[in-house]
Amino acid sequence: MAATRERKVPALVDKPMDFCPGCGHGIVSRLIMEALEELDQLNNIIFPIGVGCSSNLGAGLECDRLHCCHGRAGAVATGMKRVSPDTLVVSYQGDGDAYNIGIAETFNAAYRNENITVIVINNTNFGMTGGQMSLTTMEGQKTSTSVHGRDCSVTGYPIRFPEIVAREFPGAAYAARGTVTTPANINKLKGYIKNALQAQLNHEGYSIVEVLSPCPINWGLSPVKAMERIEQELIPYYPIGEFKKRGEEQK
Amino acid sequence: MAEMMKGNEAIAEAAVRAGARFYAGYPITPSSEIMEYLSWRMEEVGGSFVQAESELAGINMVIGASACGVRALTASSGPGISLKQEGISTLCDEGLPAVVITQVRYGNGLGTLFTAQCDYNRETRGGGQGDYRCIVLCPSSVQEFVDLMAPAYELSEKYRIVVIMMGEGTLGQMMEPVTLPDFVETKRTPWALTGKYDYKKIGIFERDSRKEAVELREKYDAIKENEQRWFDEGIEDADYVFVAYGVPGRATLGAIRELRAEGEKVGLIRPITAWPFPEKAFAKINPACKGVITVEENATGQLVDDAALFIKKTHKDRNIPAYALTYVYNTPPIRSIKADYFRIKNGEVKEVY
Ligand SMILES: Cc1ncc(C[n+]2csc(CCOP(=O)(O)OP(=O)(O)O)c2C)c(N)n1
Ligand code: SF4
Ligand SMILES: [Mg+2]
């Protein structure tokens, strides 16, 4: 008889979080908690949380956390970290939160090289409010505010923020993008998250991990098809990998 | 020993002495010297200073520092304070203390650089979304401003509320003799986020907004009952009672003293808390009083709404008229206040209520 293995819930998660079936948020939340556990930081963590489906994280956690005004987590995290330099401060935000409404705070926290970690769940739309277009929506992608498909000539092109950090902010410690499409990618992503947290623990500076994450409900796709869309459409535009490695000199 | 100091610098030093250890903000005349001073001073006392990318970011940094239990400060004026309103509402929602200084300047939109009292309604009503109030202190001299900094933090922590220091351009820019208070020892607040989750918090979707709203109202009622502050002079036998705060309150005090010396029975209520409004002072007013007169640095008359409300509430048997002398901006000279008083007395000015 095969031994049954019990699935362990990370210690910081005390309640189920209400994500849609096939949503990527849950996987990423779990990876962050596992990484914290492995780094022995369960008792040394504050989450400033964005507004969006990311807010569900705050509903399901048993740890210090604060729901920020939509888009302002970069500023809230700055205030937290400046007065608590030895406590891990990890913002958890959506693409709309971090890049649309919050681009000033996100950009400036990176620019100042705040010693914080930013996790951005890029699902190429505003999931929570019904799938409107965001700065990461792909060219031609249909959303509830780009019903004929995104026209980049009048709405701009999808933003690649971790690349900007890696290219423009010499002090930044770490910038990467991962995804949750396969076990291999999930393992890789966990490594990125751990690197980001370790950079912060060592006071190396700003770290950001963006995650390409499925939003099957608003994409109008099944969970499996949504994963395929990431592989086929998103990764070619939004490459997976580390754009700024720890300890790496600016090119 | 009193020392001549520029208002904004004295206020910034007083904040440090009151235990402020975090400042974030964005420059704007006439408040900028507060952040300039703190940009080097915070470091000296082991605090932190951030020149934020905007007032919006500034107040959100204050939220972060306050959530971690540190006495936090931001300062601004006019449009900058408008940008902070969502953050102030959020501080109230989370029950986080903070002190926000506004050195008021006149005007809508970008406005002007003239000293004014045009933002009375915004500060006293809670200018952001929702159903909340802030305690609003309105000093009339640099010394009073300095002396109120420690009480401002005490009140904000006692009630877990935002305290607005509603100054005026003049209070930031003028030099006056100041005696600085001693340093206050502070500890992180008991509800501080430490990373260890010592202070338990329920999940965002489990909050009972109806219950919280009722508790909040009880808190506001307690503040109204216990925290009214004001200065008054000559109101028990006055025919006319002036109501004025801040620097115009000081000018009005000069005016009533001169008028008294000329035989006019006039008095003054100078609110030190604009919210809670010093309703209790109105109970002391001569029941036979012929009118209350506000002196305001704005054009539309804002303080007069509160003065009228409370004179009519506390003297229900008589419909005592409320007049507003509105000087738009800049501190009105004593002679103007006196001349306008005589116009009211002679029936040349129509009451507002
Ligand atoms: C100031 C403000 N504007 C608008 C909203 C409404 N709102 C809530 S979440 C959201 C979009 C969130 O999108 P994203 O950050 O991508 O998160 P997702 O739900 O996709 O994970 C918006 C517009 C708000 N809460 N506050
Ligand atoms: S709307 Fe999209 S992002 Fe939000 S929970 Fe559902 S699948 Fe996830
Ligand atoms: Mg999104």
Side-chain angles (χ1 to χ4, degrees):
Chain A
M1 206 177 81
T4 49
R5 267 203 296 162
E6 211 181 318
R7 263 170 68 85
K8 185 171 159 283
V9 178
L12 290 187
V13 180
D14 75 333
K15 275 182 215 69
M17 301 174 203
D18 297 328
F19 299 115
C20 308
C23 176
H25 269 292
I27 304 173
V28 186
S29 315
R30 186 187 179 96
L31 294 181
I32 298 169
M33 303 315 143
E34 286 179 0
L36 286 169
E37 206 158 50
E38 287 165 27
L39 293 170
D40 199 18
Q41 297 299 317
L42 291 181
N43 255 322
N44 190 37
I45 173 72
I46 307 175
F47 287 105
I49 299 172
V51 179
C53 292
S54 48
S55 305
N56 282 298
L57 181 79
L61 289 190
E62 175 99 46
C63 68
D64 281 331
R65 63 209 190 273
L66 187 76
H67 289 275
C68 306
C69 301
H70 189 25
R72 314 302 166 213
V76 175
T78 298
M80 289 172 164
K81 190 68 185 185
R82 292 289 182 110
V83 301
S84 318
D86 296 322
T87 305
L88 279 178
V89 175
V90 178
S91 81
Y92 186 81
Q93 306 171 254
D95 49 319
D97 190 271
Y99 302 153
N100 281 67
I101 191 168
I103 191 66
E105 287 72 20
T106 304
F107 187 96
N108 278 280
Y111 176 82
R112 288 189 304 268
N113 197 19
E114 296 292 339
N115 188 37
I116 58 172
T117 300
V118 174
I119 310 279
V120 181
I121 307 301
N122 175 3
N123 55 15
T124 74
N125 69 35
F126 290 9
M128 171 156 272
T129 44
Q132 293 85 4
M133 185 180 77
S134 77
L135 291 203
T136 56
T137 297
M138 295 296 285
E139 184 159 31
Q141 183 181 334
K142 288 187 176 144
T143 71
S144 55
T145 53
S146 59
V147 292
H148 303 301
R150 182 176 192 180
D151 177 357
C152 290
S153 71
V154 289
T155 63
Y157 287 82
I159 192 169
R160 287 178 281 224
F161 190 73
E163 284 91 330
I164 297 177
V165 171
R167 197 173 60 237
E168 301 295 339
F169 304 138
Y174 188 73
R177 181 183 295 109
T179 188
V180 294
T181 48
T182 62
N185 279 337
I186 290 173
N187 282 338
K188 219 190 267 178
L189 172 60
K190 186 167 161 187
Y192 298 160
I193 292 172
K194 256 174 126 167
N195 270 336
L197 296 178
Q198 247 154 354
Q200 189 186 157
L201 277 173
N202 295 343
H203 300 267
E204 290 165 23
Y206 183 85
S207 51
I208 181 167
V209 179
E210 185 187 288
V211 182
L212 300 175
S213 174
C215 178
I217 284 287
N218 286 304
W219 293 358
L221 298 173
S222 69
V224 173
K225 291 273 176 220
M227 291 294 188
E228 284 169 17
R229 175 184 181 234
I230 295 178
E231 292 280 348
Q232 286 156 17
E233 275 183 54
L234 300 192
I235 293 176
Y237 185 86
Y238 290 115
I240 301 301
E242 296 175 301
F243 310 111
K244 176 81 186 270
K245 292 194 173 126
R246 290 171 58 206
E248 188 181 64
E249 283 300 310
Q250 193 76 10
K251 286 188 204 99
Chain B
M1 248 286 288
E3 187 189 336
M4 283 300 281
M5 284 185 86
K6 183 166 182 162
N8 278 337
E9 293 185 355
I11 290 161
E13 178 60 28
V16 167
R17 290 172 183 234
R21 287 297 177 274
F22 182 82
Y23 181 94
Y26 189 88
I28 184 170
T29 308
S31 76
S32 302
E33 296 86 356
I34 295 175
M35 74 179 289
E36 287 171 359
Y37 185 93
L38 293 174
S39 70
W40 55 268
R41 184 65 172 134
M42 272 300 176
E43 208 181 332
E44 286 186 351
V45 294
S48 321
F49 168 90
V50 188
Q51 179 164 339
E53 55 270 32
S54 68
E55 289 85 349
L56 205 59
I59 192 76
N60 281 282
M61 290 174 190
V62 162
I63 292 174
S66 172
C68 292
V70 171
R71 287 192 168 179
L73 178 71
T74 188
S76 188
S77 184
I81 300 289
S82 291
L83 286 180
K84 292 184 195 291
Q85 294 300 326
E86 186 196 20
I88 292 173
S89 170
T90 298
L91 285 160
C92 290
D93 183 44
E94 293 284 343
L96 293 173
V99 174
V100 175
I101 296 174
T102 174
Q103 300 291 37
V104 180
R105 63 189 225 178
Y106 188 75
N108 309 326
L110 186 54
T112 72
L113 303 182
F114 299 115
T115 193
Q117 296 182 318
C118 55
D119 298 331
Y120 178 87
N121 282 346
R122 180 182 66 192
E123 312 320 346
T124 58
R125 267 55 187 173
Q129 74 275 18
D131 203 5
Y132 71 95
R133 294 296 169 103
C134 301
I135 293 178
V136 183
L137 299 174
C138 45
S140 69
S141 67
V142 176
Q143 184 67 58
E144 192 175 25
F145 211 131
V146 159
D147 290 340
L148 283 172
M149 286 309 297
Y153 278 105
E154 285 156 19
L155 285 168
S156 78
E157 287 173 8
K158 177 175 176 193
Y159 294 104
R160 300 186 62 168
I161 194 170
V162 175
V163 173
I164 310 278
M165 298 295 296
M166 182 169 64
E168 293 151 55
T170 313
L171 283 174
Q173 297 305 315
M174 69 181 171
M175 291 186 83
E176 285 201 302
V178 183
T179 306
L180 289 168
D182 290 336
F183 281 84
V184 174
E185 287 294 322
T186 58
K187 290 198 298 282
R188 295 224 175 183
T189 53
W191 58 83
L193 305 181
T194 57
K196 298 182 180 57
Y197 202 43
D198 321 297
Y199 184 76
K200 303 291 175 234
K201 225 174 156 184
I202 59 166
I204 185 172
F205 302 121
E206 288 156 52
R207 289 177 59 173
D208 180 345
S209 298
R210 181 170 289 275
K211 186 162 150 267
E212 284 179 16
V214 172
E215 287 165 0
L216 211 51
R217 190 188 154 159
E218 284 164 4
K219 173 164 96 176
Y220 295 149
D221 284 345
I223 294 170
K224 281 190 208 166
E225 183 53 36
N226 301 326
E227 306 299 347
Q228 295 178 24
R229 293 180 189 220
W230 73 90
F231 165 90
D232 68 62
E233 187 168 301
I235 61 177
E236 287 89 346
D237 70 339
D239 288 336
Y240 289 93
V241 171
F242 285 91
V243 182
Y245 68 89
V247 182
R250 248 165 104 179
T252 307
L253 181 62
I256 67 151
R257 285 182 178 166
E258 288 188 13
L259 287 167
R260 277 270 170 184
E262 293 166 24
E264 298 297 318
K265 283 165 74 177
V266 290
L268 167 68
I269 294 172
R270 178 172 69 78
I272 297 171
T273 50
W275 197 92
F277 195 77
E279 174 180 352
K280 290 180 183 177
F282 284 67
K284 289 172 66 184
I285 290 179
N286 175 13
C289 149
K290 295 178 183 147
V292 294
I293 306 167
T294 62
V295 175
E296 309 188 39
E297 284 171 359
N298 58 53
T300 55
Q302 302 185 17
L303 178 63
V304 70
D305 290 0
D306 281 337
L309 178 66
F310 291 109
I311 190 67
K312 300 204 193 250
K313 183 180 170 195
T314 48
H315 294 71
K316 286 203 178 72
D317 50 323
R318 291 183 52 232
N319 187 16
I320 299 176
Y323 303 89
L325 297 178
T326 54
Y327 297 95
V328 190
Y329 52 75
N330 287 347
T331 311
I334 289 176
R335 63 172 187 286
S336 305
I337 299 172
K338 284 171 66 182
D340 288 333
Y341 159 74
F342 284 114
R343 287 173 51 232
I344 289 174
K345 197 180 168 195
N346 294 337
E348 294 163 30
V349 177
K350 200 173 152 11
E351 73 272 18
V352 181
Y353 296 105

